Amino acid sequence: MGNRVTDGLERMQANLNKSNCDVNTLVIIEFGGNDSNHKWQEISENPDGEHFARTARKDFIDTYCKMIDYAESFGANVACCNLVPLCSEKYMNWISDKLSYE
């Protein structure tokens, strides 16, 4: 919870290695929610400004691919999962708490 793809790669490199991984290992990768999140305080203060996700698209793709390659280099099977859908109304109420909803 709360991690971005760069955190995932660091954790993977620290914990997955030749001695604990083989063809019977399944690595499940599911990132993107925190990477695509925004700095909501800044958006609230300047709603018409240009705002970007916390992780740049190219960086996300490159790092995600590195994770897949890293796990596969030890013979692991990799499953990439999609994010769980959000209830947009509840999410908007949560992110706009103490900020401008508009």
Side-chain angles (χ1 to χ4, degrees), residues 15-22 25 70 73-75:
N15 294 294
L16 191 67
N17 55 58
K18 198 183 302 188
S19 67
N20 66 8
C21 185
D22 60 28
T25 302
Y70 186 81
S73 75
F74 296 115

Side-chain angles (χ1 to χ4, degrees), residues 81-92:
C81 297
N82 201 358
L83 300 173
V84 181
L86 293 173
C87 174
S88 59
E89 184 177 319
K90 287 181 180 180
Y91 185 66
M92 187 63 187

Side-chain angles (χ1 to χ4, degrees), residues 54-95:
R54 291 190 181 267
T55 303
R57 182 177 181 270
K58 183 179 180 345
D59 295 340
F60 178 81
I61 293 168
D62 290 348
T63 306
Y64 206 97
C65 289
K66 283 179 186 175
M67 292 176 74
I68 295 168
D69 292 343
Y70 186 81
E72 287 180 340
S73 75
F74 296 115
N77 294 293
V78 178
C80 298
C81 297
N82 201 358
L83 300 173
V84 181
L86 293 173
C87 174
S88 59
E89 184 177 319
K90 287 181 180 180
Y91 185 66
M92 187 63 187
N93 288 333
W94 179 74
I95 63 172

Side-chain angles (χ1 to χ4, degrees), residues 1-13 28-40 42 52-57 59-67 83 91:
M1 297 290 289
N3 287 302
R4 292 189 286 173
V5 72
T6 51
D7 303 311
L9 178 59
E10 288 175 10
R11 284 182 149 183
M12 182 182 280
Q13 290 172 333
I28 300 171
I29 303 173
E30 181 182 9
F31 285 91
N34 293 314
D35 295 284
S36 62
N37 203 4
H38 287 76
K39 298 177 182 175
W40 299 112
E42 290 178 12
F52 300 97
R54 291 190 181 267
T55 303
R57 182 177 181 270
D59 295 340
F60 178 81
I61 293 168
D62 290 348
T63 306
Y64 206 97
C65 289
K66 283 179 186 175
M67 292 176 74
L83 300 173
Y91 185 66

